Structures are given as C-alpha cells and as structure tokens.
Amino acid sequence: MIFRFCLYGLLKNQRYFAPFWILAFLDKGLSFAMIGLLIGFREICVALLEIPTGAIADAVGRRWAMILSHVAYVAAFLTFGFTTSLVALFVAMFAFSIGEAFRTGTHKAIIFAWLKSQGREKEKTHIYGVTRSWSQMGSAISVVLAAALVFWLEDYSVIFWISAIPASLNIVNFLGYPKSLDFSIEQKTDGGGTLVLLWRATWQCFAAKNLRRPITESMAYEGMYGASKDYLQPLIQNVALALPLFAAWETTQRTAVLIAIVYAVLYVLGSFASRYSGPIAAALGSERRAARYLWIAYGAAFLLLLLGIVTAWTMLAILSFVLLAVMQNIWRPILISRVADEADDSVMATVLSVESQAKSLGISIIAPLLGWAVDVTPQPYQFTPIAMLGIAIALIALVAPPEVIAAPEVEGNQQTSTPG
C-alpha cells in the first residue's frame, strides 16, 4: 500500500500549471488584485466545503470521496485551459475547490487508518513524510515537462489541459485501494450519523487545547505561505528579462527555462526535506519543539526576502522562497502528526479537514490583501508587503505562550510537563 500511497502523491502533483499559475493568469489579462481575489474565492469555497466533505468521506467511503475529488479536478483543468472568461475562471476555480475539499484530509486519514491496521501508528510522521517526498518528486518532474511545453509552444493553456491526464490515472489508482480503508468504523452511517461525525470532530478541534493550538498555527503558517508562494514566478520572470544569456529567446521561453531550473531544485530539496521530517522532529526532541524552531526559520526567511527586495538582489529574494518551500515540507508532516496524535480515529478525516479548512481560511484572507498591496506598492518595492506580513506573523507565533503538554504516566510514575 505504501507504493500506492506514493503513486498517488506522484500523480497528484503532476499539476503542470503550478509553476506558471500566476503568469498564466497574468497572460489572461488579470491583475495581481484579481488573481488574489480568485485565489481567495478558491480558498473560501474550500473552507466552506472542507468539513462537510470530510464528514461525508468518513461516513460513505474515503476511496469514493477521492475519486469524486479527481473527477472535479479534471473538469477544472480543462476549463482553465479553454477559457479566458473571468466568469468561467471562477466556475473552474469552484470545481477545483470541490476537488481540494474532498481530497484534503481524506487521503491522510486513509494512510493513518492503514498504519493503525498494521500496528504502525508510531510511524505516522515518517510514512507521511515519505509519501509527501514522492509528491515533491512528482512536482520536480512536472515542472521540467511543463517548462518544455511552454518553451516549445509559448502558450500557457496547454499545461492546464495535460494536467487532466495524471488526475484521471489517479482515479484508476484509487480503484485498487482495499475496501477496508473506506471506513474507520464498522458500519456506514446515515445522514444523521454524518452530522454527528461533523459535530464531534468540529467540537473536538475547538474544545481540545492540544488540537486548537496546531490548527491555529496551520491557519497562520500555511495561510501566509499558500498566499505568497506563487509570487516567486514574477520574480523569476524579472530575472529572466534581465539576463543577456537568453536574449535570443522570447520572454515566455526565457521564463520557462529559469522556472524549470528554480522549481526543479525547489521540489527536489522539498522532497528530501519531507522525507527527513520525522528524523528532524526526533532530533529536536518532539514535533512541538520542532514546530517552534521552524517558526524562527520562517521569520528569518521572510527577513531575507525583505533584504532581497530593498537591495534589488532578486536572486536573494528567490532564495528566500526556495527556503520557505523547503521548510514547509518539513513543517507539514510534523503538523499533521501533531493533529493526528490528538484526534479520534473515527473522525480522523473530518478533523484533518478542519485543519485544512483553517489553512484555507488563512489563505482566503491573506491572498486578496497581498494582491491588492502588491498592485498599489511602487514597482521597485512591489513585493515588500509579502515580506513584512510574513515577519509579523512569525513574531506573533513566537511571542504567543507555548503549550504545556503533560506527559503520560508510565507504570505509575508521573512525567514532568515539557514546553512545546
């Protein structure tokens, strides 16, 4: 099954448009503010759909939820490729949101349910990190293929169309998952049971202190990263325009080559970072302690971004985005493990969907604000709002009182509490 889990990640990240997302929308005539609004709309839709779809997945079958997710992806990718209409783009983004809502949380719950059935619960961080590393390798492969297509055709539309192919292949992959992984409970629940699952999981997330903290951190950390990460693309385009080495090529071709180089490095590093997230957390003492160190590095990376912008060292700014991506691939398995440790297995997909919803809510708030701020900021310092907001969020997370977790009793001896 680990092979199938890794294959899912490899195929899922064959999103050939991802390294060109912002540039493709700019090519369709959208401003940064409108792109931010479109991304915010996507995340609001995901946030509204996330918990109900997670509950449905827990109640009627997780495999079928994943299949429905990828059907929605196929519809979205084809629409993105064929339209320039703003209304149609919003419709496509809504279909994309359906795919995200049914996927996020659900596949993680499948992995954790399988680990529990095998008696390997303690390997959550490691196994999820391994599967995520294959996702990043998939992204590295996809960026090379996408850049080759953009270079050859000088058209961004095709990268949306071909993204539908691996999404369709993943549907075949899901059909090979054992039916026993559909549910974490023995019997299906009816509509009333779904509502009970929804209420139990949502209440658990807000009532349990040890769940509330990582979910809040996810909203801030992932929200800021998700809203800002694609601004790497126009930075790379600026460098491509300035390099005399590629002067004989068109702007689209020069950008495609540099994006392929930068994103391939980013994804390969991200793959290794994700694979070793478990050992990194163990070396730092615990997932909670590792998260605190990552917040420090997070703020430092945005400080590096600010320095790169104000000094016009664009390569320094690009490096900061690469570092943020690497850290996010360490952060994500650690965060998911923290949430999974505190959640009941019967509502795991729903709880993980609540976490993902928090991330989506963060992006939906931050993305339109960043888009507007980038549009109104003078050109030489256009991306300074991104750096300043990232630094502010990191500082707030670091000055917030750390959680204090009481260790379990071992053979009658009470362990002392350890700050997370």
Side-chain angles (χ1 to χ4, degrees):
M1 281 308 299
I2 293 177
F3 169 78
R4 285 194 177 275
F5 296 154
C6 293
L7 179 61
Y8 155 76
L10 183 72
L11 291 173
K12 184 258 295 182
N13 276 28
Q14 297 301 301
R15 295 181 174 181
Y16 305 108
F17 58 86
F20 299 94
W21 187 269
I22 295 287
L23 299 179
F25 284 143
L26 290 172
D27 192 55
K28 291 179 183 290
L30 276 64
S31 65
F32 282 114
M34 184 55 68
I35 293 170
L37 188 61
L38 194 61
I39 293 172
F41 170 77
R42 179 192 70 197
E43 298 302 325
I44 288 173
C45 290
V46 171
L48 291 174
L49 295 169
E50 196 106 51
I51 297 178
T53 53
I56 291 170
D58 279 326
V60 303
R62 294 169 180 173
R63 286 184 314 139
W64 291 105
M66 294 300 297
I67 289 171
L68 177 59
S69 163
H70 283 64
V71 170
Y73 280 144
V74 171
F77 298 158
L78 293 177
T79 306
F80 279 132
F82 281 107
T83 189
T84 57
S85 163
L86 186 59
V87 173
L89 288 174
F90 273 94
V91 172
M93 199 61 92
F94 180 71
F96 187 86
S97 302
I98 293 174
E100 291 287 275
F102 270 100
R103 180 186 63 81
T104 52
T106 303
H107 197 265
K108 301 180 193 72
I110 291 176
I111 294 175
F112 296 151
W114 181 81
L115 288 173
K116 185 172 184 178
S117 72
Q118 302 296 308
R120 300 171 65 178
E121 299 98 318
K122 293 183 179 179
E123 298 180 52
K124 286 193 294 291
T125 301
H126 173 66
I127 296 299
Y128 179 59
V130 169
T131 60
R132 187 176 174 83
S133 76
W134 277 99
S135 298
Q136 294 302 303
M137 289 303 294
S139 296
I141 294 169
S142 72
V143 71
V144 174
L145 295 175
L149 286 168
V150 171
F151 183 89
W152 179 35
L153 300 174
E154 298 184 50
D155 181 14
Y156 293 117
S157 296
V158 68
I159 56 180
F160 288 109
W161 303 335
I162 64 170
S163 296
I165 297 173
S168 301
L169 292 175
N170 234 345
I171 293 174
V172 178
N173 184 35
F174 296 135
L175 292 173
Y177 280 34
K179 294 180 180 179
S180 59
L181 296 180
D182 266 337
F183 306 102
S184 57
I185 49 180
E186 292 183 358
Q187 295 182 343
K188 298 180 183 179
T189 59
D190 56 17
T194 300
L195 292 177
V196 171
L197 284 173
L198 175 59
W199 169 252
R200 281 179 56 200
T202 305
W203 173 252
Q204 188 178 118
C205 291
F206 287 101
K209 179 181 178 181
N210 293 349
L211 269 176
R212 188 167 62 244
R213 172 73 185 228
I215 287 173
T216 303
E217 288 187 19
S218 176
M219 181 177 180
Y221 193 110
E222 300 274 5
M224 182 62 202
Y225 175 76
S228 63
K229 64 184 177 68
D230 289 328
Y231 285 96
L232 171 60
Q233 296 165 25
L235 283 173
I236 293 174
Q237 187 178 59
N238 290 342
V239 171
L241 292 173
L243 284 178
L245 181 63
F246 302 143
W249 294 341
E250 296 295 327
T251 300
T252 304
Q253 293 176 313
R254 283 184 273 174
T255 303
V257 170
L258 273 186
I259 280 183
I261 295 170
V262 173
Y263 272 85
V265 171
L266 182 153
Y267 289 136
V268 170
L269 291 177
S271 175
F272 282 103
S274 185
R275 181 178 293 270
Y276 292 104
S277 58
I280 289 171
L284 294 174
S286 69
E287 278 86 1
R288 295 177 183 87
R289 192 178 297 277
R292 195 151 185 87
Y293 282 112
L294 283 169
W295 272 115
I296 296 172
Y298 189 77
F302 278 109
L303 188 61
L304 187 67
L305 174 61
L306 182 62
L307 179 63
I309 293 169
V310 298
T311 60
W313 294 352
T314 308
M315 292 303 296
L316 196 61
I318 290 173
L319 175 62
S320 71
F321 275 106
V322 173
L323 292 175
L324 283 168
V326 171
M327 287 187 294
Q328 195 267 346
N329 280 285
I330 301 172
W331 166 271
R332 191 70 186 155
I334 289 172
L335 178 78
I336 293 301
S337 181
R338 290 169 65 194
V339 173
D341 282 342
E342 305 296 335
D344 294 336
D345 183 64
S346 62
V347 291
M348 182 72 75
T350 314
V351 169
L352 291 172
S353 289
V354 172
E355 179 276 325
S356 191
Q357 185 192 45
K359 176 184 70 173
S360 297
L361 182 60
I363 296 174
S364 69
I365 294 170
I366 296 170
L369 292 176
L370 280 186
W372 171 81
V374 168
D375 269 341
V376 300
T377 303
Q379 182 65 38
Y381 309 106
Q382 195 172 25
F383 300 114
T384 52
I386 300 172
M388 294 174 68
L389 184 57
I391 293 169
I393 289 174
L395 288 175
I396 292 170
L398 289 170
V399 300
E403 57 199 313
V404 178
I405 309 298
E409 292 186 8
V410 180
E411 299 181 353
N413 295 325
Q414 180 70 30
Q415 301 287 329
T416 56
S417 297
T418 303

